[in-house]
Amino acid sequence: MTEPLLQLRNLRVTFPGPRGPVQVVHGVSFDLGRERLGIVGESGSGKSLTGRSLLRLLKHPAKVETDRLIFDGIDLNALSEKQMRNIRGARISMVMQDPKFSLNPVMTIGTQIAEALRVHENLPRTEVKTRVRAMLDQVRIDDPDRVMKLYPHEVSGGMGQRVMIAMMLIPQPDVLIADEPTSALDVSVQAQVLDLIDTMIVGNGMALILISHDLELVARYCDRVLVMHRGRVVEELEAGQLHAATHPYTKGLLAAVPRMDETRKVLPVMDRDMEYDQ
Amino acid sequence: MSALSPFPDSERAPRLVSGLGTVGRFVLVTAMTFLGLLTITFFIGRIVPIDPVVAVVGDRASQEVYDATFRQMGLDKPLITQFALYVRDVLTGNFGMSLSTGRPVVEDLVRFFPATFEMATFGIVIGVVLGVPMGVIAAAKAGSWIDQLIRVLGLLGYAVPAFWMGLVGLAVFYAGLGWVAGPGRLDIFYDGLVPTVTGILTLDALLAGDMQIFLNALSHLILPSSILGFFSLAYIARMTRSFMLDQLDQEFVTTARVKGVSERAVIWKHAFYPIRVQLVTVIGLSYAVLLEGSVMIEIVFSWPGIGNYLTTALLTADMNAVLGATILIGTVFIVINRTSDVLYRILDPRSR
Ligand SMILES: Nc1ncnc2c1ncn2[C@@H]1O[C@H](COP(=O)(O)OP(=O)(O)OP(=O)(O)O)[C@@H](O)[C@H]1O
Ligand SMILES: [Mg+2]
């Protein structure tokens, strides 16, 4: 096997608490190739912190340590903040949960998308505009010229998320982290947005980290799945092999998924406080 | 058909209001606010002096003088007529005579207000130019020594009385170091040399092309307006800091960082840009407070401003002067409030 695109070893995240430091991520490790990796786990299991740590986004008072964080042969830990900015957006990008909050409310959509490009490339204005228009076209937004002039509050959630995707993909990064990209959206547009992400990732030969608490969804859109629980990776599976899960927590998650062909009165409830051994 | 509508009237009423358009509504609200101000000053004028006639003629006046004044003030007419007359007087700039200066109140206001306006404007410029960046930096570097320093400055702005600061300022910068001029608006031998155009001395001197007088006026102005500026700076910096901390926590700020935007642009372009709207309100309020005339500063610096005028009027029970100055200050508040409303609409795309 060739060198993976991204290598993460032993990620630990600690916050100061009222009674001393509290560790919330306990040594997460994984490799990522040009593939689609899913991270699932219940709320608070450390999925978002893991995603943000890859971009070195966590700030004081969070304490982030890794034994190894290598991206495309670059040791991200060794980079200065300025060098890290050249990675962000341009090489590794991230789509966040709710476009209502993740888009700048007082900047037009066109300006926000253009900024993502301008930060990394010095291009003439007309070319920036052409690229923004083409990008909006790719995320299937009709009438890009009109949408570019709109403010985020003037578009729907589904359209907002497509704008977000356009903004994050316009500098043509290698890795896209999508942190629950559809959980704030209307059910009717969730599949559209996920299909769009999928098409863009596969079409551009990129890597995807899809974060979700929905095991089924992740299995559908990913090649490989990491199951996280209380700050640890408890199981790693091929997407097609979910039924072969051995870890009791994963089995519990699977058992909680309702099926069309079954009749049961009460869905099992996960015991959140249960401690699973590695 | 329309007669069959179940809510014929309730549907029409809101359409009438919205039919006025933004400008119409703006004018209506402004007019109502102003009318409210006049109602309040009217009742204060009728109720506070137990006998408004005595307040004008004094308690030694003869019965004839008393009766004549009583009728002249329209006090024999019904209250609503009195109010209508009052509104007419105010709108035509007739606030009556001031007992203590012996001049029409309007003339006094025209003479005293520019002094306050000049000092307040200088003060607010200092407060904004220093206070806003200080607040932004304090938030961007929350918890650092620079944040602490700015917090201490802010606390001083709250804890130190204005008159004390005025006296110490005079002792140090005027008497001690001789860097600035003393109390008053101008050195005595420059008095009356430039024609009064705006009443703002620095501006009048510039209009007359007299640099010497301009610099002299400036050197009188700089200390008191810096002290006022310091007080508004303390407030503006504190508010800016808290607005910024709020913004820096927002998800779209993280988005900007994800895009690879530099920290400086993250702070100014993404976090600061949206709070201009809130800052307009804060700055407007501080400016209004300064325009009200800081009595303490005006007294310490013998500044012939509206605060000084109003205080004298109150102490001598000069009711016409008190009400005139109150209406002026109230109007200034309304103007500033309405202006920040308009700016709000212009600056925030969500309110359009
Ligand atoms: N700023 C913070 N201060 C203290 N604790 C934090 C902070 N941010 C996150 N945590 C803790 O870290 C844990 C993991 O958070 P994280 O956001 O990664 O969870 P998640 O798996 O993304 O959950 P969700 O599905 O709700 O998004 C949580 O238990 C949370 O309480
Ligand atoms: Mg999360």
Side-chain angles (χ1 to χ4, degrees):
Chain A
M1 213 180 123
T2 54
E3 185 86 337
L5 189 57
L6 181 74
Q7 272 184 299
L8 174 67
R9 289 293 173 277
N10 196 15
L11 167 72
R12 287 146 290 157
V13 181
T14 311
F15 286 101
R19 288 178 299 279
V22 183
Q23 191 170 356
V24 288
V25 176
H26 304 265
V28 168
S29 305
F30 60 80
D31 285 348
L32 178 76
R34 293 199 180 265
E35 60 177 332
R36 300 167 306 166
L37 175 72
I39 301 182
V40 277
E42 65 193 56
S43 188
S45 54
K47 307 181 297 290
S48 296
L49 291 181
T50 302
R52 286 174 189 221
S53 300
L54 297 177
L55 280 163
R56 281 192 23 199
L57 280 175
L58 299 180
K59 285 213 135 64
H60 181 83
K63 199 167 133 238
V64 181
E65 295 161 299
T66 53
D67 290 352
R68 208 171 153 77
L69 178 56
I70 309 265
F71 166 73
D72 197 19
I74 308 163
D75 182 359
L76 296 188
N77 282 326
L79 297 187
S80 69
E81 184 57 25
K82 190 154 181 262
Q83 291 168 318
M84 192 62 212
R85 283 205 296 271
N86 295 331
I87 301 286
R88 293 193 193 119
R91 312 283 325 261
I92 307 177
S93 204
M94 180 160 85
V95 169
M96 278 162 307
Q97 184 166 343
D98 193 341
K100 248 210 309 299
F101 301 115
S102 53
L103 292 173
N104 188 324
V106 296
M107 220 184 245
T108 62
I109 285 168
T111 314
Q112 300 193 45
I113 300 178
E115 185 188 38
L117 187 59
R118 279 221 198 88
V119 169
H120 300 291
E121 288 176 64
N122 210 344
L123 296 170
R125 280 171 79 106
T126 48
E127 172 146 14
V128 170
K129 201 155 178 205
T130 315
R131 294 249 324 246
V132 172
R133 196 181 292 125
M135 195 66 224
L136 283 173
D137 219 41
Q138 278 188 56
V139 298
R140 290 172 216 146
I141 284 176
D142 306 326
D143 202 357
D145 284 300
R146 188 181 62 88
V147 174
M148 275 158 74
K149 291 197 205 85
L150 297 179
Y151 286 94
H153 72 275
E154 295 171 310
V155 303
S156 68
M159 173 121 68
Q161 201 61 308
R162 279 184 280 170
V163 166
M164 186 78 186
I165 293 167
M167 185 160 80
M168 289 312 173
L169 293 186
I170 197 166
Q172 302 177 314
D174 301 274
V175 179
L176 180 72
I177 303 166
D179 191 350
E180 313 231 17
T182 56
S183 47
L185 302 184
D186 221 52
V187 187
S188 58
V189 295
Q190 289 189 354
Q192 280 175 28
V193 168
L194 284 167
D195 286 340
L196 175 67
I197 291 179
D198 201 58
T199 316
M200 304 291 289
I201 295 293
V202 176
N204 297 321
M206 294 169 54
L208 171 72
I209 297 178
L210 178 62
I211 296 174
S212 172
H213 51 260
D214 185 339
L215 190 54
E216 269 216 303
L217 181 146
V218 162
R220 195 165 348 122
Y221 287 96
C222 295
D223 309 307
R224 205 151 54 89
V225 179
L226 297 182
V227 182
M228 278 188 73
H229 177 63
R230 304 185 118 212
R232 290 191 170 83
V233 175
V234 293
E235 183 140 36
E236 189 176 338
L237 288 161
E238 294 300 310
Q241 305 291 311
L242 286 184
H243 57 274
T246 53
H247 198 277
Y249 178 71
T250 317
K251 285 182 168 171
L253 279 182
L254 281 168
V257 177
R259 280 222 257 283
M260 292 293 277
D261 56 356
E262 68 172 355
T263 49
R264 57 180 164 180
K265 289 225 165 59
V266 182
L267 286 171
V269 175
M270 298 291 295
D271 181 359
R272 304 189 59 162
D273 292 329
M274 194 163 152
E275 277 294 354
Y276 298 98
D277 297 323
Q278 278 282 53
Chain B
M1 281 303 280
S2 65
L4 294 174
S5 164
F7 312 107
D9 288 324
S10 59
E11 271 182 1
R12 207 153 297 151
R15 205 173 301 152
L16 189 74
V17 175
S18 64
L20 281 172
T22 316
V23 176
R25 226 170 314 151
F26 180 84
V27 171
L28 191 72
V29 170
T30 310
M32 292 304 285
T33 318
F34 190 67
L35 202 65
L37 171 68
L38 293 192
T39 313
I40 292 169
T41 50
F42 173 75
F43 280 105
I44 292 174
R46 289 296 178 271
I47 291 161
V48 171
I50 312 288
D51 189 332
V53 180
V54 173
V56 173
V57 297
D59 52 6
R60 303 244 178 91
S62 68
Q63 189 62 38
E64 292 91 79
V65 173
Y66 182 96
D67 289 340
T69 314
F70 187 85
R71 274 190 303 279
Q72 192 196 332
M73 290 175 75
L75 291 172
D76 51 340
K77 304 203 174 68
L79 210 57
I80 188 75
T81 318
Q82 288 185 39
F83 182 65
L85 289 173
Y86 175 73
V87 171
R88 189 202 62 196
D89 280 351
V90 170
L91 291 181
T92 53
N94 177 14
F95 299 99
M97 301 290 283
S98 161
L99 292 185
S100 38
T101 65
R103 282 186 302 254
V105 171
V106 182
E107 266 178 40
D108 284 346
L109 296 180
V110 168
R111 189 191 286 229
F112 283 84
F113 186 65
T116 295
F117 179 81
E118 184 174 32
M119 189 156 83
T121 306
F122 257 76
I124 198 71
V125 168
I126 292 171
V128 170
V129 167
L130 297 178
V132 170
M134 277 166 77
V136 171
I137 291 167
K141 300 193 187 303
S144 68
W145 67 268
I146 197 155
D147 184 24
Q148 302 296 345
L149 180 78
I150 288 168
R151 186 174 315 180
V152 169
L153 276 178
L155 275 176
L156 278 180
Y158 279 97
V160 180
F163 75 90
W164 185 84
M165 206 175 250
L167 290 174
V168 170
L170 277 175
V172 173
F173 296 106
Y174 167 59
L177 298 166
W179 288 357
V180 300
R185 295 181 77 188
L186 215 51
D187 283 354
I188 192 89
F189 39 87
Y190 288 126
D191 236 354
L193 286 188
V194 293
T196 303
V197 182
T198 60
I200 300 163
L201 276 182
T202 44
L203 194 57
D204 284 350
L206 281 182
L207 289 176
D210 195 326
M211 274 323 270
Q212 217 174 346
I213 294 189
F214 170 75
L215 289 176
N216 186 255
L218 197 63
S219 130
H220 278 270
L221 180 63
I222 196 81
L223 186 57
S225 56
S226 298
I227 293 172
L228 284 189
F230 176 72
F231 286 104
S232 54
L233 172 156
Y235 175 62
I236 291 172
R238 198 177 63 111
M239 296 308 283
T240 307
R241 178 181 183 274
S242 91
F243 292 153
M244 279 298 285
L245 284 179
D246 226 49
Q247 288 296 304
L248 289 170
D249 259 355
Q250 301 288 318
E251 198 75 337
F252 68 83
V253 170
T254 307
T255 303
R257 293 201 177 104
V258 170
K259 293 200 285 191
V261 173
S262 73
E263 197 55 25
R264 193 198 204 149
V266 165
I267 286 164
W268 287 102
K269 211 164 134 196
H270 288 270
F272 178 72
Y273 199 77
I275 71 163
R276 293 169 315 152
V277 183
Q278 290 152 288
L279 280 183
V280 162
T281 313
V282 165
I283 292 167
L285 192 69
S286 325
Y287 190 33
V289 169
L290 296 193
L291 281 174
E292 198 179 316
S294 166
V295 178
M296 286 304 168
I297 293 294
E298 289 188 359
I299 288 173
V300 170
F301 286 89
S302 318
W303 201 261
I306 204 76
N308 230 333
Y309 180 70
L310 185 56
T311 312
T312 314
L314 277 168
L315 293 177
T316 55
D318 185 352
M319 227 32 216
N320 285 341
V322 169
L323 291 178
T326 308
I327 288 173
L328 176 68
I329 290 167
T331 308
V332 164
F333 260 88
I334 293 174
V335 168
I336 287 181
N337 180 286
R338 305 271 69 204
T339 310
S340 44
D341 234 50
V342 172
L343 281 176
Y344 205 110
R345 267 168 222 279
I346 295 173
L347 293 179
D348 190 350
R350 285 162 298 185
S351 69
R352 274 177 220 149

